[in-house]
């Protein structure tokens, strides 16, 4: 979309959020709300994106990185004043500028495209994105003439009784002829109760100069939600969550209960995968096809192979191969890599370890800082003792080894290919291939001991 520019308003403090976190950085479905806005704008192919920052400027710039240019609004003197800060970057350019608030993450890129297209086809100097709602209280009303032309934007406090009945509201998103915008901004005054410079005043200035001001109405009012407090944040999360779920379902994913499934905006899920209730798919997770996730599984920034099942378990920053089962009640901690056809059972914890193809730890084990080969069996209660109080050490278990129940592998130690470790053993020395390691005290029975103990 040539000769198109975007300005994102993200300088306000957001005091109603009652938070130490800057408002536009509050996440919606795992991504900061302002990042949603920038992502949607990026689909427009805009020549320049300028974000107006103020409170928390450094953190906003760190979050968005090179996806935008930035201008600092040192004093928050209103929306018109905020937009005016972008003049040094784009004020003299010809083209169309879309202005979007950084706290409106639900506006789709398709809606922005339609707004810009309507603006250009109308040959307007300004176009307002509007919406219809049954309860317009608190919003500016759009007053149209008989031919549908926008006559004025009336704020709630200034509206007559008749005007207050109007259901079409100003969403706070606009398109402008770029040069006309910055010329009009110079004429905005702050003679109001707040002493601020308001962007909607530009509309009146352009009308007085004989310019055409139009409006484009979006069909979905929820797109226009501006997040000012935790209540609206929760509503935006709900809308976004269902929107994301619908997109995946239309692409071949089965979601048993969309209302009780949480998928991040950046997750990718293959067809014929089933998400059961309570599943949380977070961050940049990639899930293959034909998987079963849940119920009540949490997967964060991980890759899951085809036909794998993650049952009531947690997987964080790890890789899980194809045809593998995890859980129930397993914990796969960061930097773990589970191969294909692996079995990680109930109450097994894996941390920073590789687990080769066909290997299994069926229940009640801890495997940390280990390199495990293929077709290895960990018996119930096996512990990899990786920490000496100061450092973590590595354990290597080669292919086809068999670790008996309730064994302790004290790192650093190596278990050779095909070796056996007897149940109940504590292994502190390397075990050669095809050997049996027994590291336990000899059993001794004391006949009649209990009876004697009772007599005393």
């Amino acid at each position: 979309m040539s000769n198109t520019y975007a300005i994102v308003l993200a300088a306000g403090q957001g005091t109603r959020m009652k938070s130490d976190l800057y408002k536009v950085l509050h996440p919606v479905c795992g991504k900061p709300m302002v990042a949603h806005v920038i992502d949607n704008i990026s689909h427009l192919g805009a020549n320049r994106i300028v974000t107006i920052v103020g409170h928390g400027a450094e953190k906003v710039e760190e979050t968005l990185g090179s996806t935008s240019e930035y201008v600092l609004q040192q004093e928050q003197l209103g929306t018109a004043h905020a937009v005016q800060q972008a003049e040094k970057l784009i004020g003299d350019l010809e083209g169309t500028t879309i202005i979007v608030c950084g706290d409106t993450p639900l506006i789709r890129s398709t809606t922005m495209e339609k707004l810009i297209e309507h603006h250009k086809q109308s040959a307007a100097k300004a176009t307002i994105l509007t919406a219809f709602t049954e309860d317009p209280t608190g919003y500016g009303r759009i007053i149209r003439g008989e031919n549908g032309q926008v006559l004025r934007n009336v704020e709630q406090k200034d509206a007559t009784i008749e005007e207050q009945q109007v259901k079409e509201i100003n969403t706070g998103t606009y398109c402008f002829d770029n040069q006309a915008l910055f010329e009009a901004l110079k004429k905005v005054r702050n003679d109001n109760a707040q002493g601020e410079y308001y962007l909607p005043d530009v509309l009146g200035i352009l009308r007085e100069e004989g310019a055409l001001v139009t409006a484009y109405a979006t069909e979905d009012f929820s797109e226009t939600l501006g997040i000012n407090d935790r209540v609206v944040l929760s509503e935006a999360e709900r809308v976004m969550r269902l929107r994301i779920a619908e997109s995946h379902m239309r692409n071949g994913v089965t979601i048993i209960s969309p209302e009780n499934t949480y998928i991040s905006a950046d997750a990718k899920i293959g067809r014929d995968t089933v998400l059961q209730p309570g599943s949380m798919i977070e961050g940049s997770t990639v899930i293959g096809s034909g998987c079963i996730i849940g119920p009540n599984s949490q997967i964060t920034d991980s890759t899951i192979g085809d036909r794998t099942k993650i049952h009531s378990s947690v997987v964080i920053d790890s890789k899980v191969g194809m045809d593998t089962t995890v859980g129930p009640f397993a914990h796969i901690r960061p930097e773990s890599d589970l191969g294909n056809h692996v079995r990680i059972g109930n109450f097994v914890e894996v941390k920073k370890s590789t687990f080769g193809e066909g290997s299994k730890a069926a229940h009640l084990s801890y495997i940390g800082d280990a390199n495990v080969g293929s077709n290895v069996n960990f018996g119930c209660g096996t512990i990899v003792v990786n920490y000496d109080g100061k450092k973590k050490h590595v354990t290597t278990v080669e292919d086809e080894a068999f670790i008996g129940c309730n064994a302790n592998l004290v790192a650093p130690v190596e278990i050779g290919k095909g070796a056996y470790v007897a149940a109940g053993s504590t292994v502190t020395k390397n075990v050669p291939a095809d050997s049996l390691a027994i590291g336990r005290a000899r059993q001794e029975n004391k006949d009649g001991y209990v009876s004697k103990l009772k007599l005393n």
Side-chain angles (χ1 to χ4, degrees):
M1 192 172 287
S2 60
N3 297 322
T4 301
Y5 316 102
I7 297 175
V8 179
L9 303 181
Q13 187 171 8
T15 55
R16 279 183 283 175
M17 295 296 288
K18 293 182 170 58
S19 174
D20 293 332
L21 182 64
Y22 183 49
K23 181 175 76 167
V24 298
L25 296 182
H26 278 266
V28 177
C29 291
K31 178 185 291 188
M33 63 177 83
V34 70
H36 282 289
V37 174
I38 295 293
D39 282 354
N40 288 332
I41 290 173
S42 68
H43 294 306
L44 304 177
N47 301 76
R48 306 275 290 272
I49 301 174
V50 180
T51 300
I52 312 301
V53 295
H55 296 282
E58 291 183 1
K59 291 184 178 179
V60 174
E61 293 181 27
E62 180 181 344
T63 298
L64 299 179
S66 61
T67 59
S68 173
E69 301 175 74
Y70 305 93
V71 177
L72 178 65
Q73 185 188 21
Q74 294 184 339
E75 291 184 89
Q76 277 67 62
L77 299 178
T79 50
H81 178 260
V83 173
Q84 200 167 25
Q85 307 311 301
E87 183 174 16
K88 66 186 78 172
L89 295 182
I90 62 172
D92 60 345
L93 300 178
E94 293 183 358
T96 300
T97 294
I98 184 170
I99 299 176
V100 187
C101 295
D103 61 359
T104 55
L106 298 176
I107 297 180
R108 294 180 172 92
S109 57
T110 53
T111 298
M112 296 183 194
E113 288 175 353
K114 291 176 181 177
L115 172 65
I116 295 171
E117 187 63 26
H118 176 87
H119 174 80
K120 290 182 176 180
Q121 289 182 351
S122 302
K125 292 297 183 182
T127 302
I128 311 165
L129 179 66
T130 69
F132 289 87
T133 176
E134 288 303 312
D135 182 12
T137 304
Y139 291 96
R141 308 303 202 280
I142 300 301
I143 309 302
R144 293 179 181 262
E146 293 181 358
N147 61 355
Q149 183 179 346
V150 174
L151 299 179
R152 60 189 180 279
N153 172 74
V154 183
E155 296 301 323
Q156 168 84 26
K157 63 181 183 302
D158 300 321
T160 65
I161 297 298
E162 183 180 27
E163 289 170 339
Q164 289 182 15
Q165 306 310 308
V166 173
K167 305 297 185 183
E168 187 176 15
I169 58 96
N170 182 353
T171 69
T173 296
Y174 306 90
C175 264
F176 290 98
D177 174 278
N178 189 64
Q179 292 181 338
L181 166 65
F182 285 102
E183 283 301 315
L185 283 170
K186 298 172 184 177
K187 302 170 185 177
V188 175
R189 302 180 61 180
N190 67 338
D191 48 355
N192 51 62
Q194 287 72 34
E196 295 186 351
Y197 300 89
Y198 294 129
L199 185 58
D201 291 350
V202 170
L203 305 175
I205 292 170
L206 291 174
R207 275 192 220 95
E208 290 174 2
E209 295 175 349
L212 176 62
V213 176
T214 65
Y216 172 78
T218 176
E219 297 178 358
D220 184 358
F221 174 73
S222 68
E223 284 192 76
T224 70
L225 283 177
I227 300 174
N228 292 315
D229 58 31
R230 308 289 182 130
V231 176
V232 184
L233 178 65
S234 176
E235 174 63 12
E237 178 85 17
R238 183 191 68 82
V239 172
M240 180 74 76
R241 175 161 43 87
L242 293 176
R243 184 188 294 179
I244 292 170
E246 179 181 346
S247 175
H248 285 292
M249 288 188 287
R250 294 193 183 280
N251 287 327
V253 177
T254 295
I255 302 178
I256 303 299
S257 177
E259 296 82 1
N260 296 293
T261 303
Y262 304 83
I263 308 172
S264 80
D266 293 328
K268 294 180 174 61
I269 306 173
R271 62 191 300 173
D272 293 322
T273 283
V274 177
L275 301 185
Q276 297 177 332
S279 297
M280 301 184 67
I281 314 301
E282 302 175 328
S284 299
T285 290
V286 177
I287 298 175
S289 62
C291 297
I292 300 176
I293 308 298
N296 304 314
S297 289
Q298 177 187 4
I299 304 176
T300 304
D301 291 320
S302 296
T303 300
I304 311 298
D306 297 341
R307 300 175 300 280
T308 283
K309 182 175 182 179
I310 311 293
H311 181 193
S312 302
S313 297
V314 175
V315 181
I316 299 175
D317 193 20
S318 292
K319 180 179 179 181
V320 180
M322 297 186 294
D323 301 294
T324 287
T325 60
V326 176
F329 315 120
H331 187 184
I332 311 302
R333 291 169 56 187
E335 299 183 61
S336 294
D337 188 346
L338 310 184
N340 302 330
H341 303 280
V342 162
R343 169 78 173 102
I344 299 294
N346 51 295
F347 303 106
V348 174
E349 181 176 354
V350 181
K351 173 257 179 186
K352 199 177 181 180
S353 297
T354 59
F355 217 75
E357 182 168 354
S359 292
K360 56 186 177 180
H363 30 223
L364 299 164
S365 295
Y366 171 72
I367 302 162
D369 297 283
N371 297 317
V372 179
S374 61
N375 299 312
V376 171
N377 180 83
F378 280 80
C380 176
T382 297
I383 303 296
V384 173
V385 186
N386 60 330
Y387 185 49
D388 65 7
K390 293 183 179 180
K391 293 181 179 181
K392 301 290 179 67
H393 299 278
V394 174
T395 293
T396 298
V397 182
E398 296 185 0
D399 298 349
E400 301 173 3
F402 184 96
I403 313 300
C405 293
N406 204 35
N408 297 308
L409 308 183
V410 183
V413 71
E414 296 180 8
I415 311 299
K417 182 177 180 180
Y420 274 48
V421 174
S425 293
T426 295
V427 177
T428 58
K429 297 186 297 183
N430 293 346
V431 181
D434 296 317
S435 298
L436 169 64
I438 304 176
R440 59 193 183 201
R442 182 183 299 275
Q443 181 175 330
E444 181 179 349
N445 296 333
K446 295 183 179 295
D447 296 335
Y449 179 83
V450 175
S451 298
K452 294 176 183 179
L453 185 64
K454 291 179 179 179
L455 290 175
N456 292 333

